[in-house]
Amino acid sequence: MHQPAGNLGDLLGQREWEAAEILWAMDRIPRSLWAYGDAGRVHLSLSGTLLETMASPGFQRRAYGIVDCGSLLWYLQNTTIICILGTGYYHPVLSAARHRFSSGKNACRHVR
């Protein structure tokens, strides 16, 4: 997932319904996976600009009536159901390196 720097904040101010749709879609991911932690993991790619926006206290205050961004960021850290893939800061760039996947608890391997 990616949003250019400032874009989500601008949408929230100019076309709130579009920002709400994006935020609801992001919030839906961990909520829909909670019951399936034993079945597998979802791998998500999040750009640095999107994470920075979501972590901004000012943006969190503005978006609070739509989604609790702080809670959403906390839920995305649940490594039982989600594995965050490394990305570029401005664009979501998936690593071309090979990953080893196993069915064990540490199935999400981070490329360094």
Side-chain angles (χ1 to χ4, degrees):
M1 293 184 276
H2 172 68
Q3 284 291 313
N7 188 62
L8 198 52
D10 290 345
L11 280 178
L12 194 57
Q14 298 170 9
R15 295 190 306 262
E16 185 176 330
W17 66 272
E18 285 186 41
E21 291 288 324
I22 292 167
L23 291 168
W24 289 329
M26 290 179 62
D27 190 57
R28 190 175 302 121
I29 294 168
R31 291 180 186 280
S32 63
L33 297 173
W34 283 338
Y36 304 102
D38 60 337
R41 246 183 225 122
V42 170
H43 292 75
L44 294 177
S45 173
L46 301 168
S47 69
T49 53
L50 178 57
L51 290 172
E52 187 174 77
T53 298
M54 298 292 291
S56 164
F59 182 81
Q60 289 183 5
R61 280 191 298 277
R62 292 176 57 208
Y64 185 74
I66 302 166
V67 169
D68 182 345
C69 295
S71 293
L72 173 56
L73 290 171
W74 178 256
Y75 300 144
L76 289 173
Q77 295 180 69
N78 183 342
T79 58
T80 302
I81 57 174
I82 296 172
C83 180
I84 302 296
L85 299 174
T87 67
Y89 186 77
Y90 292 102
H91 299 286
V93 179
L94 297 177
S95 172
R98 291 184 178 212
H99 295 273
R100 291 189 199 190
F101 297 100
S102 68
S103 59
K105 186 170 181 126
N106 296 320
C108 182
R109 306 270 191 245
H110 297 280
V111 176
R112 293 188 178 141

